[in-house]
PDB file of all heavy atoms in Angstrom:
ATOM      1  N   GLY H   1      21.030   1.094  -1.651  1.00  0.00           N
ATOM      2  CA  GLY H   1      20.716   2.443  -1.145  1.00  0.00           C
ATOM      3  C   GLY H   1      19.542   3.052  -1.833  1.00  0.00           C
ATOM      4  O   GLY H   1      19.071   4.135  -1.355  1.00  0.00           O
ATOM      5  N   MET H   2      18.923   2.410  -2.791  1.00  0.00           N
ATOM      6  CA  MET H   2      17.722   2.960  -3.412  1.00  0.00           C
ATOM      7  C   MET H   2      16.521   2.637  -2.588  1.00  0.00           C
ATOM      8  O   MET H   2      16.508   1.696  -1.894  1.00  0.00           O
ATOM      9  CB  MET H   2      17.573   2.330  -4.821  1.00  0.00           C
ATOM     10  CG  MET H   2      18.627   2.676  -5.717  1.00  0.00           C
ATOM     11  SD  MET H   2      18.747   4.435  -6.243  1.00  0.00           S
ATOM     12  CE  MET H   2      17.297   4.675  -7.102  1.00  0.00           C
ATOM     13  N   ASP H   3      15.403   3.565  -2.694  1.00  0.00           N
ATOM     14  CA  ASP H   3      14.263   3.268  -1.999  1.00  0.00           C
ATOM     15  C   ASP H   3      13.242   2.737  -2.974  1.00  0.00           C
ATOM     16  O   ASP H   3      13.175   3.099  -4.108  1.00  0.00           O
ATOM     17  CB  ASP H   3      13.604   4.544  -1.379  1.00  0.00           C
ATOM     18  CG  ASP H   3      14.520   4.974  -0.173  1.00  0.00           C
ATOM     19  OD1 ASP H   3      15.198   4.161   0.418  1.00  0.00           O
ATOM     20  OD2 ASP H   3      14.251   6.128   0.221  1.00  0.00           O
ATOM     21  N   ASP H   4      12.478   1.695  -2.608  1.00  0.00           N
ATOM     22  CA  ASP H   4      11.307   1.218  -3.323  1.00  0.00           C
ATOM     23  C   ASP H   4      10.124   1.987  -3.080  1.00  0.00           C
ATOM     24  O   ASP H   4       9.243   1.600  -2.421  1.00  0.00           O
ATOM     25  CB  ASP H   4      11.073  -0.281  -2.937  1.00  0.00           C
ATOM     26  CG  ASP H   4      11.040  -1.260  -4.194  1.00  0.00           C
ATOM     27  OD1 ASP H   4      10.984  -0.639  -5.239  1.00  0.00           O
ATOM     28  OD2 ASP H   4      11.179  -2.326  -3.838  1.00  0.00           O
ATOM     29  N   ARG H   5      10.168   3.295  -3.517  1.00  0.00           N
ATOM     30  CA  ARG H   5       9.103   4.324  -3.161  1.00  0.00           C
ATOM     31  C   ARG H   5       7.729   4.002  -3.601  1.00  0.00           C
ATOM     32  O   ARG H   5       6.772   4.556  -3.101  1.00  0.00           O
ATOM     33  CB  ARG H   5       9.641   5.718  -3.732  1.00  0.00           C
ATOM     34  CG  ARG H   5      10.820   6.256  -3.116  1.00  0.00           C
ATOM     35  CD  ARG H   5      11.121   7.557  -3.471  1.00  0.00           C
ATOM     36  NE  ARG H   5      12.335   8.047  -2.982  1.00  0.00           N
ATOM     37  CZ  ARG H   5      12.488   8.654  -1.784  1.00  0.00           C
ATOM     38  NH1 ARG H   5      11.393   8.793  -1.063  1.00  0.00           N
ATOM     39  NH2 ARG H   5      13.579   9.087  -1.343  1.00  0.00           N
ATOM     40  N   HIS H   6       7.586   3.071  -4.617  1.00  0.00           N
ATOM     41  CA  HIS H   6       6.270   2.808  -5.145  1.00  0.00           C
ATOM     42  C   HIS H   6       5.670   1.527  -4.452  1.00  0.00           C
ATOM     43  O   HIS H   6       4.620   1.042  -4.890  1.00  0.00           O
ATOM     44  CB  HIS H   6       6.272   2.751  -6.615  1.00  0.00           C
ATOM     45  CG  HIS H   6       6.677   3.876  -7.358  1.00  0.00           C
ATOM     46  ND1 HIS H   6       5.949   5.115  -7.193  1.00  0.00           N
ATOM     47  CD2 HIS H   6       7.833   4.134  -8.059  1.00  0.00           C
ATOM     48  CE1 HIS H   6       6.631   6.067  -7.905  1.00  0.00           C
ATOM     49  NE2 HIS H   6       7.781   5.455  -8.345  1.00  0.00           N
ATOM     50  N   ASP H   7       6.421   0.954  -3.607  1.00  0.00           N
ATOM     51  CA  ASP H   7       5.941  -0.248  -2.861  1.00  0.00           C
ATOM     52  C   ASP H   7       5.895   0.002  -1.200  1.00  0.00           C
ATOM     53  O   ASP H   7       6.885   0.020  -0.673  1.00  0.00           O
ATOM     54  CB  ASP H   7       6.796  -1.461  -3.078  1.00  0.00           C
ATOM     55  CG  ASP H   7       6.629  -2.036  -4.455  1.00  0.00           C
ATOM     56  OD1 ASP H   7       5.479  -1.959  -5.001  1.00  0.00           O
ATOM     57  OD2 ASP H   7       7.469  -2.546  -5.060  1.00  0.00           O
ATOM     58  N   TRP H   8       4.738   0.213  -0.830  1.00  0.00           N
ATOM     59  CA  TRP H   8       4.488   0.483   0.551  1.00  0.00           C
ATOM     60  C   TRP H   8       3.681  -0.678   1.200  1.00  0.00           C
ATOM     61  O   TRP H   8       2.735  -1.219   0.442  1.00  0.00           O
ATOM     62  CB  TRP H   8       3.658   1.745   0.714  1.00  0.00           C
ATOM     63  CG  TRP H   8       4.569   3.023   0.552  1.00  0.00           C
ATOM     64  CD1 TRP H   8       4.972   3.491  -0.713  1.00  0.00           C
ATOM     65  CD2 TRP H   8       5.212   3.872   1.565  1.00  0.00           C
ATOM     66  NE1 TRP H   8       5.744   4.493  -0.507  1.00  0.00           N
ATOM     67  CE2 TRP H   8       5.875   4.762   0.800  1.00  0.00           C
ATOM     68  CE3 TRP H   8       5.230   3.717   2.956  1.00  0.00           C
ATOM     69  CZ2 TRP H   8       6.603   5.776   1.502  1.00  0.00           C
ATOM     70  CZ3 TRP H   8       6.031   4.716   3.537  1.00  0.00           C
ATOM     71  CH2 TRP H   8       6.654   5.765   2.905  1.00  0.00           C
ATOM     72  N   PRO H   9       3.838  -0.979   2.367  1.00  0.00           N
ATOM     73  CA  PRO H   9       3.046  -2.039   3.052  1.00  0.00           C
ATOM     74  C   PRO H   9       1.639  -1.421   3.197  1.00  0.00           C
ATOM     75  O   PRO H   9       1.394  -0.316   3.741  1.00  0.00           O
ATOM     76  CB  PRO H   9       3.711  -2.255   4.387  1.00  0.00           C
ATOM     77  CG  PRO H   9       4.477  -0.968   4.696  1.00  0.00           C
ATOM     78  CD  PRO H   9       4.842  -0.399   3.423  1.00  0.00           C
ATOM     79  N   VAL H  10       0.561  -2.248   2.909  1.00  0.00           N
ATOM     80  CA  VAL H  10      -0.740  -1.821   3.138  1.00  0.00           C
ATOM     81  C   VAL H  10      -1.516  -3.104   3.525  1.00  0.00           C
ATOM     82  O   VAL H  10      -1.157  -4.205   3.188  1.00  0.00           O
ATOM     83  CB  VAL H  10      -1.441  -1.217   1.799  1.00  0.00           C
ATOM     84  CG1 VAL H  10      -0.849   0.044   1.402  1.00  0.00           C
ATOM     85  CG2 VAL H  10      -1.528  -2.191   0.653  1.00  0.00           C
ATOM     86  N   LEU H  11      -2.628  -2.885   4.305  1.00  0.00           N
ATOM     87  CA  LEU H  11      -3.596  -3.958   4.521  1.00  0.00           C
ATOM     88  C   LEU H  11      -4.883  -3.798   3.693  1.00  0.00           C
ATOM     89  O   LEU H  11      -5.337  -2.676   3.571  1.00  0.00           O
ATOM     90  CB  LEU H  11      -3.905  -3.882   6.082  1.00  0.00           C
ATOM     91  CG  LEU H  11      -3.006  -4.230   7.043  1.00  0.00           C
ATOM     92  CD1 LEU H  11      -3.401  -3.997   8.430  1.00  0.00           C
ATOM     93  CD2 LEU H  11      -2.376  -5.632   6.934  1.00  0.00           C
ATOM     94  N   THR H  12      -5.279  -4.882   3.075  1.00  0.00           N
ATOM     95  CA  THR H  12      -6.428  -4.862   2.236  1.00  0.00           C
ATOM     96  C   THR H  12      -7.403  -5.900   2.765  1.00  0.00           C
ATOM     97  O   THR H  12      -7.074  -6.896   3.507  1.00  0.00           O
ATOM     98  CB  THR H  12      -6.152  -5.139   0.915  1.00  0.00           C
ATOM     99  OG1 THR H  12      -5.849  -6.492   0.562  1.00  0.00           O
ATOM    100  CG2 THR H  12      -5.030  -4.253   0.225  1.00  0.00           C
ATOM    101  N   ARG H  13      -8.667  -5.746   2.362  1.00  0.00           N
ATOM    102  CA  ARG H  13      -9.654  -6.752   2.818  1.00  0.00           C
ATOM    103  C   ARG H  13      -9.471  -7.982   2.029  1.00  0.00           C
ATOM    104  O   ARG H  13      -9.728  -9.126   2.606  1.00  0.00           O
ATOM    105  CB  ARG H  13     -11.037  -6.252   2.561  1.00  0.00           C
ATOM    106  CG  ARG H  13     -11.485  -5.086   3.499  1.00  0.00           C
ATOM    107  CD  ARG H  13     -12.835  -4.706   3.337  1.00  0.00           C
ATOM    108  NE  ARG H  13     -12.951  -3.470   3.977  1.00  0.00           N
ATOM    109  CZ  ARG H  13     -14.212  -2.790   4.132  1.00  0.00           C
ATOM    110  NH1 ARG H  13     -15.189  -3.334   3.480  1.00  0.00           N
ATOM    111  NH2 ARG H  13     -14.182  -1.623   4.667  1.00  0.00           N
ATOM    112  N   SER H  14      -9.088  -7.848   0.778  1.00  0.00           N
ATOM    113  CA  SER H  14      -9.025  -9.159  -0.066  1.00  0.00           C
ATOM    114  C   SER H  14      -7.617  -9.897  -0.030  1.00  0.00           C
ATOM    115  O   SER H  14      -7.624 -11.058  -0.211  1.00  0.00           O
ATOM    116  CB  SER H  14      -9.329  -8.706  -1.521  1.00  0.00           C
ATOM    117  OG  SER H  14      -8.278  -7.793  -2.047  1.00  0.00           O
ATOM    118  N   GLN H  15      -6.617  -9.191   0.220  1.00  0.00           N
ATOM    119  CA  GLN H  15      -5.283  -9.849   0.218  1.00  0.00           C
ATOM    120  C   GLN H  15      -4.450  -9.793   1.614  1.00  0.00           C
ATOM    121  O   GLN H  15      -3.355 -10.299   1.629  1.00  0.00           O
ATOM    122  CB  GLN H  15      -4.460  -9.180  -0.862  1.00  0.00           C
ATOM    123  CG  GLN H  15      -4.903  -9.536  -2.277  1.00  0.00           C
ATOM    124  CD  GLN H  15      -3.880  -9.032  -3.296  1.00  0.00           C
ATOM    125  OE1 GLN H  15      -2.891  -8.466  -3.030  1.00  0.00           O
ATOM    126  NE2 GLN H  15      -4.377  -9.237  -4.582  1.00  0.00           N
ATOM    127  N   GLY H  16      -5.002  -9.068   2.499  1.00  0.00           N
ATOM    128  CA  GLY H  16      -4.308  -8.998   3.774  1.00  0.00           C
ATOM    129  C   GLY H  16      -3.073  -8.062   3.540  1.00  0.00           C
ATOM    130  O   GLY H  16      -3.201  -6.937   2.900  1.00  0.00           O
ATOM    131  N   LEU H  17      -1.892  -8.428   4.107  1.00  0.00           N
ATOM    132  CA  LEU H  17      -0.742  -7.620   4.026  1.00  0.00           C
ATOM    133  C   LEU H  17      -0.234  -7.708   2.522  1.00  0.00           C
ATOM    134  O   LEU H  17       0.056  -8.832   2.076  1.00  0.00           O
ATOM    135  CB  LEU H  17       0.344  -8.036   5.037  1.00  0.00           C
ATOM    136  CG  LEU H  17       1.676  -7.281   4.852  1.00  0.00           C
ATOM    137  CD1 LEU H  17       1.550  -5.745   5.161  1.00  0.00           C
ATOM    138  CD2 LEU H  17       2.734  -7.913   5.818  1.00  0.00           C
ATOM    139  N   THR H  18       0.071  -6.581   1.821  1.00  0.00           N
ATOM    140  CA  THR H  18       0.683  -6.647   0.592  1.00  0.00           C
ATOM    141  C   THR H  18       1.481  -5.316   0.422  1.00  0.00           C
ATOM    142  O   THR H  18       1.408  -4.402   1.209  1.00  0.00           O
ATOM    143  CB  THR H  18      -0.428  -6.804  -0.634  1.00  0.00           C
ATOM    144  OG1 THR H  18       0.258  -7.008  -1.819  1.00  0.00           O
ATOM    145  CG2 THR H  18      -1.261  -5.493  -0.748  1.00  0.00           C
ATOM    146  N   TRP H  19       2.315  -5.343  -0.713  1.00  0.00           N
ATOM    147  CA  TRP H  19       3.163  -4.080  -0.908  1.00  0.00           C
ATOM    148  C   TRP H  19       2.710  -3.638  -2.295  1.00  0.00           C
ATOM    149  O   TRP H  19       2.844  -4.178  -3.283  1.00  0.00           O
ATOM    150  CB  TRP H  19       4.610  -4.567  -0.989  1.00  0.00           C
ATOM    151  CG  TRP H  19       5.153  -5.058   0.325  1.00  0.00           C
ATOM    152  CD1 TRP H  19       4.868  -6.239   0.887  1.00  0.00           C
ATOM    153  CD2 TRP H  19       5.901  -4.427   1.350  1.00  0.00           C
ATOM    154  NE1 TRP H  19       5.393  -6.461   2.111  1.00  0.00           N
ATOM    155  CE2 TRP H  19       6.026  -5.252   2.416  1.00  0.00           C
ATOM    156  CE3 TRP H  19       6.386  -3.099   1.342  1.00  0.00           C
ATOM    157  CZ2 TRP H  19       6.869  -4.935   3.437  1.00  0.00           C
ATOM    158  CZ3 TRP H  19       7.136  -2.790   2.526  1.00  0.00           C
ATOM    159  CH2 TRP H  19       7.325  -3.667   3.577  1.00  0.00           C
ATOM    160  N   ILE H  20       2.206  -2.371  -2.268  1.00  0.00           N
ATOM    161  CA  ILE H  20       1.719  -1.747  -3.506  1.00  0.00           C
ATOM    162  C   ILE H  20       1.996  -0.313  -3.498  1.00  0.00           C
ATOM    163  O   ILE H  20       2.439   0.300  -2.532  1.00  0.00           O
ATOM    164  CB  ILE H  20       0.142  -1.987  -3.689  1.00  0.00           C
ATOM    165  CG1 ILE H  20      -0.589  -1.319  -2.637  1.00  0.00           C
ATOM    166  CG2 ILE H  20      -0.160  -3.445  -3.763  1.00  0.00           C
ATOM    167  CD1 ILE H  20      -2.061  -1.085  -2.930  1.00  0.00           C
ATOM    168  N   ASP H  21       1.658   0.397  -4.611  1.00  0.00           N
ATOM    169  CA  ASP H  21       1.751   1.852  -4.786  1.00  0.00           C
ATOM    170  C   ASP H  21       0.331   2.420  -4.245  1.00  0.00           C
ATOM    171  O   ASP H  21      -0.633   2.312  -4.972  1.00  0.00           O
ATOM    172  CB  ASP H  21       1.950   2.209  -6.195  1.00  0.00           C
ATOM    173  CG  ASP H  21       2.239   3.680  -6.295  1.00  0.00           C
ATOM    174  OD1 ASP H  21       1.922   4.447  -5.402  1.00  0.00           O
ATOM    175  OD2 ASP H  21       2.716   4.087  -7.436  1.00  0.00           O
ATOM    176  N   PRO H  22       0.246   2.877  -3.056  1.00  0.00           N
ATOM    177  CA  PRO H  22      -1.053   3.250  -2.488  1.00  0.00           C
ATOM    178  C   PRO H  22      -1.600   4.490  -3.072  1.00  0.00           C
ATOM    179  O   PRO H  22      -2.683   4.929  -2.782  1.00  0.00           O
ATOM    180  CB  PRO H  22      -0.683   3.554  -1.074  1.00  0.00           C
ATOM    181  CG  PRO H  22       0.749   3.828  -0.966  1.00  0.00           C
ATOM    182  CD  PRO H  22       1.400   3.093  -2.102  1.00  0.00           C
ATOM    183  N   ARG H  23      -0.851   5.149  -4.026  1.00  0.00           N
ATOM    184  CA  ARG H  23      -1.351   6.344  -4.724  1.00  0.00           C
ATOM    185  C   ARG H  23      -2.452   5.962  -5.729  1.00  0.00           C
ATOM    186  O   ARG H  23      -3.169   6.900  -6.165  1.00  0.00           O
ATOM    187  CB  ARG H  23      -0.144   7.091  -5.383  1.00  0.00           C
ATOM    188  CG  ARG H  23       0.833   7.657  -4.553  1.00  0.00           C
ATOM    189  CD  ARG H  23       1.971   8.172  -5.195  1.00  0.00           C
ATOM    190  NE  ARG H  23       2.647   7.060  -6.130  1.00  0.00           N
ATOM    191  CZ  ARG H  23       3.559   7.334  -6.997  1.00  0.00           C
ATOM    192  NH1 ARG H  23       3.998   8.600  -7.202  1.00  0.00           N
ATOM    193  NH2 ARG H  23       4.051   6.365  -7.765  1.00  0.00           N
ATOM    194  N   ASP H  24      -2.594   4.696  -6.025  1.00  0.00           N
ATOM    195  CA  ASP H  24      -3.577   4.377  -6.988  1.00  0.00           C
ATOM    196  C   ASP H  24      -4.737   3.527  -6.362  1.00  0.00           C
ATOM    197  O   ASP H  24      -4.649   2.319  -6.205  1.00  0.00           O
ATOM    198  CB  ASP H  24      -2.978   3.465  -8.030  1.00  0.00           C
ATOM    199  CG  ASP H  24      -3.991   3.115  -9.302  1.00  0.00           C
ATOM    200  OD1 ASP H  24      -5.153   3.421  -9.180  1.00  0.00           O
ATOM    201  OD2 ASP H  24      -3.545   2.592 -10.222  1.00  0.00           O
ATOM    202  N   PRO H  25      -5.830   4.241  -5.801  1.00  0.00           N
ATOM    203  CA  PRO H  25      -6.850   3.550  -5.084  1.00  0.00           C
ATOM    204  C   PRO H  25      -7.671   2.467  -5.940  1.00  0.00           C
ATOM    205  O   PRO H  25      -8.308   1.647  -5.408  1.00  0.00           O
ATOM    206  CB  PRO H  25      -7.672   4.594  -4.597  1.00  0.00           C
ATOM    207  CG  PRO H  25      -7.446   5.737  -5.568  1.00  0.00           C
ATOM    208  CD  PRO H  25      -6.100   5.642  -5.960  1.00  0.00           C
ATOM    209  N   ARG H  26      -7.470   2.562  -7.293  1.00  0.00           N
ATOM    210  CA  ARG H  26      -8.146   1.519  -8.076  1.00  0.00           C
ATOM    211  C   ARG H  26      -7.713   0.203  -7.841  1.00  0.00           C
ATOM    212  O   ARG H  26      -8.319  -0.832  -8.283  1.00  0.00           O
ATOM    213  CB  ARG H  26      -8.087   1.954  -9.572  1.00  0.00           C
ATOM    214  CG  ARG H  26      -8.707   3.408  -9.844  1.00  0.00           C
ATOM    215  CD  ARG H  26      -8.375   3.859 -11.274  1.00  0.00           C
ATOM    216  NE  ARG H  26      -6.931   3.924 -11.324  1.00  0.00           N
ATOM    217  CZ  ARG H  26      -6.299   4.038 -12.558  1.00  0.00           C
ATOM    218  NH1 ARG H  26      -6.916   4.026 -13.670  1.00  0.00           N
ATOM    219  NH2 ARG H  26      -4.987   4.211 -12.557  1.00  0.00           N
ATOM    220  N   LEU H  27      -6.490   0.073  -7.268  1.00  0.00           N
ATOM    221  CA  LEU H  27      -5.849  -1.259  -7.199  1.00  0.00           C
ATOM    222  C   LEU H  27      -6.721  -2.087  -6.146  1.00  0.00           C
ATOM    223  O   LEU H  27      -6.867  -3.326  -6.394  1.00  0.00           O
ATOM    224  CB  LEU H  27      -4.496  -1.139  -6.631  1.00  0.00           C
ATOM    225  CG  LEU H  27      -3.502  -0.528  -7.629  1.00  0.00           C
ATOM    226  CD1 LEU H  27      -2.167  -0.370  -6.918  1.00  0.00           C
ATOM    227  CD2 LEU H  27      -3.261  -1.510  -8.833  1.00  0.00           C
ATOM    228  N   PHE H  28      -7.402  -1.427  -5.268  1.00  0.00           N
ATOM    229  CA  PHE H  28      -8.143  -2.099  -4.128  1.00  0.00           C
ATOM    230  C   PHE H  28      -9.355  -1.266  -3.985  1.00  0.00           C
ATOM    231  O   PHE H  28      -9.434  -0.545  -3.048  1.00  0.00           O
ATOM    232  CB  PHE H  28      -7.313  -2.336  -2.937  1.00  0.00           C
ATOM    233  CG  PHE H  28      -6.260  -3.332  -3.119  1.00  0.00           C
ATOM    234  CD1 PHE H  28      -4.973  -2.839  -3.355  1.00  0.00           C
ATOM    235  CD2 PHE H  28      -6.413  -4.622  -3.084  1.00  0.00           C
ATOM    236  CE1 PHE H  28      -3.901  -3.757  -3.555  1.00  0.00           C
ATOM    237  CE2 PHE H  28      -5.485  -5.533  -3.310  1.00  0.00           C
ATOM    238  CZ  PHE H  28      -4.167  -5.143  -3.541  1.00  0.00           C
ATOM    239  N   PRO H  29     -10.444  -1.631  -4.717  1.00  0.00           N
ATOM    240  CA  PRO H  29     -11.721  -0.771  -4.541  1.00  0.00           C
ATOM    241  C   PRO H  29     -12.336  -1.086  -3.302  1.00  0.00           C
ATOM    242  O   PRO H  29     -13.144  -0.205  -2.835  1.00  0.00           O
ATOM    243  CB  PRO H  29     -12.495  -1.181  -5.740  1.00  0.00           C
ATOM    244  CG  PRO H  29     -11.850  -2.491  -6.255  1.00  0.00           C
ATOM    245  CD  PRO H  29     -10.557  -2.524  -5.827  1.00  0.00           C
ATOM    246  N   ASP H  30     -12.101  -2.177  -2.716  1.00  0.00           N
ATOM    247  CA  ASP H  30     -12.798  -2.481  -1.437  1.00  0.00           C
ATOM    248  C   ASP H  30     -11.979  -1.834  -0.209  1.00  0.00           C
ATOM    249  O   ASP H  30     -12.433  -1.897   0.939  1.00  0.00           O
ATOM    250  CB  ASP H  30     -12.788  -3.990  -1.170  1.00  0.00           C
ATOM    251  CG  ASP H  30     -11.542  -4.675  -1.061  1.00  0.00           C
ATOM    252  OD1 ASP H  30     -10.421  -4.083  -1.455  1.00  0.00           O
ATOM    253  OD2 ASP H  30     -11.455  -5.857  -0.484  1.00  0.00           O
ATOM    254  N   GLY H  31     -10.991  -0.953  -0.541  1.00  0.00           N
ATOM    255  CA  GLY H  31     -10.322  -0.266   0.509  1.00  0.00           C
ATOM    256  C   GLY H  31      -8.956  -0.803   0.959  1.00  0.00           C
ATOM    257  O   GLY H  31      -8.741  -2.089   0.843  1.00  0.00           O
ATOM    258  N   MET H  32      -8.091   0.003   1.494  1.00  0.00           N
ATOM    259  CA  MET H  32      -6.850  -0.407   1.992  1.00  0.00           C
ATOM    260  C   MET H  32      -6.393   0.565   3.112  1.00  0.00           C
ATOM    261  O   MET H  32      -6.925   1.682   3.264  1.00  0.00           O
ATOM    262  CB  MET H  32      -5.778  -0.432   0.870  1.00  0.00           C
ATOM    263  CG  MET H  32      -5.515   0.905   0.250  1.00  0.00           C
ATOM    264  SD  MET H  32      -4.331   0.794  -1.109  1.00  0.00           S
ATOM    265  CE  MET H  32      -4.553   2.280  -1.878  1.00  0.00           C
ATOM    266  N   LEU H  33      -5.501   0.067   3.912  1.00  0.00           N
ATOM    267  CA  LEU H  33      -5.015   0.884   4.963  1.00  0.00           C
ATOM    268  C   LEU H  33      -3.443   0.873   4.780  1.00  0.00           C
ATOM    269  O   LEU H  33      -2.732  -0.154   4.923  1.00  0.00           O
ATOM    270  CB  LEU H  33      -5.411   0.303   6.313  1.00  0.00           C
ATOM    271  CG  LEU H  33      -4.715   0.953   7.552  1.00  0.00           C
ATOM    272  CD1 LEU H  33      -5.156   2.464   7.738  1.00  0.00           C
ATOM    273  CD2 LEU H  33      -5.054   0.180   8.859  1.00  0.00           C
ATOM    274  N   LYS H  34      -2.894   2.065   4.509  1.00  0.00           N
ATOM    275  CA  LYS H  34      -1.458   2.283   4.282  1.00  0.00           C
ATOM    276  C   LYS H  34      -0.809   2.214   5.636  1.00  0.00           C
ATOM    277  O   LYS H  34      -1.201   2.961   6.653  1.00  0.00           O
ATOM    278  CB  LYS H  34      -1.113   3.545   3.563  1.00  0.00           C
ATOM    279  CG  LYS H  34       0.301   3.776   3.366  1.00  0.00           C
ATOM    280  CD  LYS H  34       0.593   5.178   2.707  1.00  0.00           C
ATOM    281  CE  LYS H  34       2.011   5.360   2.581  1.00  0.00           C
ATOM    282  NZ  LYS H  34       2.229   6.743   1.946  1.00  0.00           N
ATOM    283  N   LEU H  35       0.155   1.273   5.825  1.00  0.00           N
ATOM    284  CA  LEU H  35       0.906   1.285   7.092  1.00  0.00           C
ATOM    285  C   LEU H  35       2.061   2.198   7.055  1.00  0.00           C
ATOM    286  O   LEU H  35       3.184   1.921   6.676  1.00  0.00           O
ATOM    287  CB  LEU H  35       1.383  -0.248   7.350  1.00  0.00           C
ATOM    288  CG  LEU H  35       0.255  -1.305   7.159  1.00  0.00           C
ATOM    289  CD1 LEU H  35       0.926  -2.688   7.453  1.00  0.00           C
ATOM    290  CD2 LEU H  35      -0.667  -1.061   8.321  1.00  0.00           C
ATOM    291  N   ASP H  36       1.774   3.396   7.533  1.00  0.00           N
ATOM    292  CA  ASP H  36       2.788   4.402   7.478  1.00  0.00           C
ATOM    293  C   ASP H  36       3.246   4.897   8.777  1.00  0.00           C
ATOM    294  O   ASP H  36       3.570   6.120   8.879  1.00  0.00           O
ATOM    295  CB  ASP H  36       2.132   5.631   6.636  1.00  0.00           C
ATOM    296  CG  ASP H  36       0.850   6.126   7.240  1.00  0.00           C
ATOM    297  OD1 ASP H  36       0.344   5.619   8.236  1.00  0.00           O
ATOM    298  OD2 ASP H  36       0.312   7.066   6.636  1.00  0.00           O
ATOM    299  N   GLY H  37       3.362   4.106   9.728  1.00  0.00           N
ATOM    300  CA  GLY H  37       3.891   4.537  11.020  1.00  0.00           C
ATOM    301  C   GLY H  37       3.252   3.756  12.203  1.00  0.00           C
ATOM    302  O   GLY H  37       2.065   3.230  12.011  1.00  0.00           O
ATOM    303  N   PRO H  38       3.817   3.846  13.342  1.00  0.00           N
ATOM    304  CA  PRO H  38       3.206   3.171  14.514  1.00  0.00           C
ATOM    305  C   PRO H  38       1.834   3.912  14.735  1.00  0.00           C
ATOM    306  O   PRO H  38       1.703   5.074  14.519  1.00  0.00           O
ATOM    307  CB  PRO H  38       4.284   3.558  15.712  1.00  0.00           C
ATOM    308  CG  PRO H  38       5.502   3.849  14.967  1.00  0.00           C
ATOM    309  CD  PRO H  38       5.147   4.430  13.609  1.00  0.00           C
ATOM    310  N   ARG H  39       0.896   3.039  15.261  1.00  0.00           N
ATOM    311  CA  ARG H  39      -0.387   3.581  15.642  1.00  0.00           C
ATOM    312  C   ARG H  39      -0.535   3.570  17.073  1.00  0.00           C
ATOM    313  O   ARG H  39      -0.146   2.736  17.783  1.00  0.00           O
ATOM    314  CB  ARG H  39      -1.492   2.735  14.938  1.00  0.00           C
ATOM    315  CG  ARG H  39      -1.193   2.737  13.425  1.00  0.00           C
ATOM    316  CD  ARG H  39      -2.424   2.682  12.613  1.00  0.00           C
ATOM    317  NE  ARG H  39      -2.368   2.604  11.231  1.00  0.00           N
ATOM    318  CZ  ARG H  39      -2.131   3.770  10.498  1.00  0.00           C
ATOM    319  NH1 ARG H  39      -2.072   4.859  10.988  1.00  0.00           N
ATOM    320  NH2 ARG H  39      -1.996   3.524   9.206  1.00  0.00           N
TER     321      ARG H  39
END
């Protein structure tokens, strides 16, 4: 029943699909796209 609130799906240029805390942009200086709903 717990949420993994610090692991969100994101797309990055260097790793593709990964699960990270997107609040810290230093993790991927080349940019990332948070997958936060249908587009």
Side-chain angles (χ1 to χ4, degrees):
M2 298 294 292
D3 289 346
D4 231 342
R5 295 188 184 272
H6 299 297
D7 286 326
W8 285 80
V10 298
L11 292 176
T12 71
R13 291 182 193 184
S14 59
Q15 292 187 3
L17 175 65
T18 190
W19 298 76
I20 64 164
D21 187 344
R23 296 174 300 170
D24 188 352
R26 296 172 299 165
L27 293 172
F28 293 96
D30 64 342
M32 66 180 159
L33 173 64
K34 181 178 175 185
L35 303 178
D36 56 1
R39 301 217 184 276

